[in-house]
Amino acid sequence: MTNVPLAVIFYDLFKVVNRRLALLVVVFTIVGTAVEAAGLLNQFVPLVLLGSGPYASELSPSQAQALAYMSADLAKIGYSISSVFFGCYGVCIGYLVFRSTFLPRVIGVLLAFGALSYLTYGVAYLLAPAFAFNLVPWIQLPSLLGEGSFCLWLLIAIVNAKRWEARAGGPIGQRSTPIAAPA
């Protein structure tokens, strides 16, 4: 759930680069998080089916076990769908970092490559799960490099505030366009 506040922070940071694309980052983050949260519910199904509740007595042991395994497969599919949304998020955030003047462009390129790995894995798992299985862990390395460098840069070097202010048209904390007083 920390993805939603992070999306709001990124929107505020990158709206000076492209407001609509920054808003698209928020949308992809919220939808991807919702899909991932819904997919997490599938992980609790085996506990309900194989426990001592009312469902356990109505199903034969083989039926309950089959349904328990099916829920694990559904959780994997849900994760793959959320990976596609986070891949789209990553492409957008990579482009915003690349176009910004207050963060290094190379980090934007690394983020975009990492996002393409999310997209590749997510689509591959949905279309050819056996092929996607062979991609792991190698497909995760570009996203580690992109997201890791972005996190480290934000933690150590931070954002170039002077360039951000120049892009925003005013000091941090002020609106870039004044609000007109009601008539």
Side-chain angles (χ1 to χ4, degrees), residues 89-114:
Y89 149 85
V91 168
C92 293
I93 203 82
Y95 177 78
L96 288 169
V97 169
F98 183 80
R99 295 288 297 165
S100 73
T101 55
F102 46 86
L103 290 167
R105 289 183 144 202
V106 68
I107 292 178
V109 172
L110 292 173
L111 282 169
F113 280 128

Side-chain angles (χ1 to χ4, degrees), residues 121-155:
Y121 177 77
V123 171
Y125 188 83
L126 293 172
L127 299 178
F131 173 71
F133 180 75
N134 293 324
L135 294 176
V136 175
W138 311 111
I139 195 75
Q140 298 166 331
L141 294 177
S143 60
L144 174 67
L145 187 61
E147 293 176 33
S149 62
F150 188 46
C151 289
L152 287 175
W153 186 269
L154 290 176
L155 287 172

